[in-house]
Amino acid sequence: MRHKKSCSLFTVHCSLFFILFTGYCLLFTASSAHAGIEIKREALSNGLTLMVVERHNVPVVNVALGIKAGSMAEPAEKAGLANLTAELLTEGTKKRTAGEISETMEFVGASLDTSGGDDFVTATLSVLKKDLDLGFDMLSDIIINPSFLPDELNKKRTRIKGGLKSREEDPNFVAEREFKNAVFGSYPYGRLIEGSAETLDRITQQDLIDFYSAYYAPNNAMISIVGDITMEEAKTLLKKYFSGWNKKEIKITMSAKPGPLKETKIITVDKDITQANIILGHLGISRDHPDYYSVLVMNYILGGGGFTSRLMQNVREEKGLVYDIHSFFDADKETGSFQVGLQTKNESADTAIDEVLKEIKLMRDSGASDAEIADAKSFLKGSFPMKIETGRRIANFLIAVEFYGLGMDYVSKYPAYINNVTKEDVLRVAKKYLDPEKFALVVVANQKKASVKFFK
């Protein structure tokens, strides 16, 4: 679930992945069990899916509106169109200027954000109960009446291009970009959500209008409302402010999914830096894959468990080659990726890569011990609940649950999904989803000093 933070004037937000999303799941699971959180879901007549969680302890309401209009739906030659469309929602409507929207929300201490993503885009609202009408008026206005004015388009485009240019100085960003391209190729997951300077320059005001018209509809969206509100109050607000949002026929042409790598693919980027930034990995699995939970436990042991993981214990604690090393499966709607990321001295790159491959082979050959699996399960079920302290996170979580079809009973079933993972499952998914022979290897480093053996 790759999602990007909004850049609107009055925002704060984002969606990282597998671990973060899992965190939401776990956190919510615990909250559901201990705090009695009840999800109410209803499909409205206009096709919009509504989910409500009542929390009356504080007079605040958080709203997340997810629309299936991510970069999966945009043409490759105009990459960045989906993100640009989402970001411009708050930059002016047919009734309000960008400044008026920003000032109005700031005046009441509310926030209204938008963000792009691969699979879907999100608009979020956080507002006091007493300002609910104002908040829904603003939210509906940016969703139903965006203006996409040329001046705002040019300003936003310039800002995004500037951000992309500055990120080129970040070796980790460069490595991540090259890795996605190597694994996914021309598939939408293989390109930046923001697009590139070249593709952004091709996007016109009419492109924005056409993209919006094609995908922004209630029957292509879901909304979650969490806080000091009831289901009936939520339905009344939606009827009042979203009655002009009409359903339409949605057509999305899906690209052919990328296949697994047929051989190891090496990508090097020469930079005059002291630390080599390395990413090694390949295709993973989709979020709704039945092996998801077994993979989650296996990866925790390999490199997802922080200081307790095998990669951290070996490459950092025993060899002293890195400060941080991690692995994760990034699971999206259609497919996903597996990657190990690390930074090490240029001169240590070769040794560090060897150790990573050794740990991957060891996991494939021997699996994990009972104690490792028990620790992983315990952590995955128990360590995240304290992090879900806001209605905003719950609202975002519900959008993901609905989008990935996890079901409203997911929160109660999650512990069983983890508990049911066996030692045999861990070994099986390690053999199936870890490949130490055919992978993409990206090394952003001073190549003369790194001198990785693959290039000799």
Side-chain angles (χ1 to χ4, degrees):
M1 188 173 63
R2 197 162 54 117
H3 231 59
K4 194 185 70 58
K5 183 174 277 191
S6 168
C7 294
S8 64
L9 290 175
F10 41 95
T11 89
V12 221
H13 171 83
C14 183
S15 138
L16 226 226
F17 223 167
F18 200 75
I19 292 176
L20 180 57
F21 176 69
T22 300
Y24 284 155
C25 301
L26 293 162
L27 298 167
F28 195 85
T29 298
S31 295
S32 180
H34 299 298
I37 292 175
E38 179 185 358
I39 307 168
K40 296 176 181 175
R41 179 184 181 279
E42 188 168 329
L44 305 183
S45 59
N46 63 356
L48 181 66
T49 298
L50 168 64
M51 294 161 286
V52 173
V53 171
E54 296 185 27
R55 303 182 93 193
H56 300 288
N57 52 326
V58 290
V60 175
V61 174
N62 287 277
V63 181
L65 175 65
I67 304 170
K68 301 170 191 173
S71 53
M72 284 292 293
E74 70 190 10
E77 67 273 16
K78 297 195 177 182
L81 174 60
N83 176 65
L84 199 50
T85 303
E87 291 209 0
L88 283 169
L89 294 175
T90 56
E91 301 303 322
T93 70
K94 295 170 184 172
K95 297 191 293 184
R96 299 176 173 94
T97 66
E100 289 171 339
I101 295 171
S102 175
E103 290 169 8
T104 301
M105 298 306 288
E106 288 178 355
F107 185 73
V108 298
S111 66
L112 183 61
D113 312 331
T114 56
S115 62
D118 281 326
D119 290 327
F120 59 89
V121 299
T122 309
T124 58
L125 166 71
S126 182
V127 65
L128 290 172
K129 168 87 171 184
K130 68 180 181 62
D131 299 316
L132 256 181
D133 270 289
L134 174 64
F136 269 78
D137 186 22
M138 301 294 284
L139 177 63
S140 65
D141 194 25
I142 67 165
I143 296 299
I144 300 175
N145 305 307
S147 55
F148 300 123
L149 294 175
D151 285 350
E152 297 296 342
L153 165 60
N154 290 332
K155 283 191 288 186
K156 182 66 73 176
R157 174 166 36 211
T158 300
R159 203 173 304 152
I160 294 174
K161 287 169 63 178
L164 289 171
K165 187 175 182 180
S166 66
R167 290 166 71 188
E168 287 295 324
E169 302 300 316
D170 178 0
N172 186 54
F173 165 76
V174 174
E176 188 70 32
R177 183 194 62 198
E178 295 299 321
F179 176 77
K180 289 183 180 300
N181 184 52
V183 171
F184 294 112
S186 59
Y187 196 70
Y189 292 168
R191 57 185 185 243
L192 295 177
I193 290 170
E194 298 91 337
S196 66
E198 291 73 25
T199 59
L200 286 169
D201 282 339
R202 298 190 189 110
I203 297 172
T204 66
Q205 181 193 30
Q206 191 59 49
D207 290 327
L208 296 166
I209 294 171
D210 291 345
F211 187 82
Y212 169 85
S213 299
Y215 301 112
Y216 281 65
N219 54 310
N220 199 38
M222 52 250 161
I223 188 168
S224 60
I225 306 176
V226 179
D228 191 8
I229 191 170
T230 65
M231 173 60 99
E232 288 308 310
E233 289 174 323
K235 289 167 65 176
T236 299
L237 285 166
L238 290 174
K239 183 177 182 181
K240 182 177 181 180
Y241 293 105
F242 282 85
S243 59
W245 202 26
N246 301 314
K247 64 167 62 176
K248 65 180 70 166
E249 183 180 1
I250 306 294
K251 295 180 179 178
I252 297 180
T253 303
M254 302 295 289
S255 305
K257 292 183 183 180
L261 295 171
K262 296 180 179 178
E263 58 185 6
T264 292
K265 188 183 288 187
I266 311 294
I267 299 96
T268 63
V269 179
D270 191 25
K271 275 187 175 293
D272 187 18
I273 51 180
T274 57
Q275 291 279 310
N277 284 253
I278 299 169
I279 299 179
L280 183 155
H282 44 66
L283 279 179
I285 60 173
S286 61
R287 179 58 187 87
D288 60 355
H289 198 288
D291 283 336
Y292 176 88
Y293 302 98
S294 298
V295 164
L296 183 61
V297 173
M298 182 273 292
N299 179 68
Y300 178 87
I301 298 165
L302 175 65
F307 283 100
T308 65
S309 75
R310 291 183 178 183
L311 287 173
M312 186 69 90
Q313 284 298 309
N314 178 2
V315 186
R316 173 186 157 124
E317 298 300 312
E318 295 179 19
K319 305 296 188 304
L321 297 173
V322 300
Y323 178 76
D324 177 48
I325 183 169
H326 57 271
S327 68
F328 64 92
F329 280 78
D330 189 1
D332 285 306
K333 179 71 172 179
E334 302 300 327
T335 183
S337 64
F338 162 72
Q339 64 176 275
V340 177
L342 64 99
Q343 293 180 356
T344 187
K345 290 190 296 185
N346 289 314
E347 295 80 0
S348 305
D350 212 14
T351 307
I353 293 169
D354 278 346
E355 293 303 321
V356 169
L357 292 173
K358 284 179 185 175
E359 290 298 340
I360 290 176
K361 290 174 183 173
L362 180 62
M363 181 63 80
R364 278 174 50 96
D365 292 342
S366 307
S369 69
D370 291 331
E372 287 177 315
I373 294 171
D375 288 345
K377 289 182 177 180
S378 177
F379 181 88
L380 292 172
K381 290 185 295 180
S383 64
F384 286 100
M386 74 289 291
K387 295 181 181 178
I388 189 165
E389 297 175 345
T390 67
R392 181 188 295 249
R393 288 184 176 182
I394 296 174
N396 288 332
F397 164 76
L398 290 179
I399 294 298
V401 166
E402 178 66 22
F403 180 77
Y404 292 108
L406 304 180
M408 292 299 105
D409 57 353
Y410 180 76
V411 292
S412 61
K413 289 184 174 178
Y414 184 82
Y417 292 152
I418 295 297
N419 283 334
N420 290 340
V421 175
T422 67
K423 192 174 182 177
E424 291 72 28
D425 288 331
V426 170
L427 179 60
R428 177 179 59 80
V429 297
K431 289 182 179 295
K432 188 172 182 179
Y433 301 113
L434 297 179
D435 191 340
E437 303 294 336
K438 300 171 186 173
F439 53 85
L441 173 64
V442 180
V443 181
V444 180
N446 182 320
Q447 300 298 337
K448 283 187 178 178
K449 294 181 179 177
S451 188
V452 178
K453 67 181 180 184
F454 286 103
F455 319 129
K456 290 177 179 176

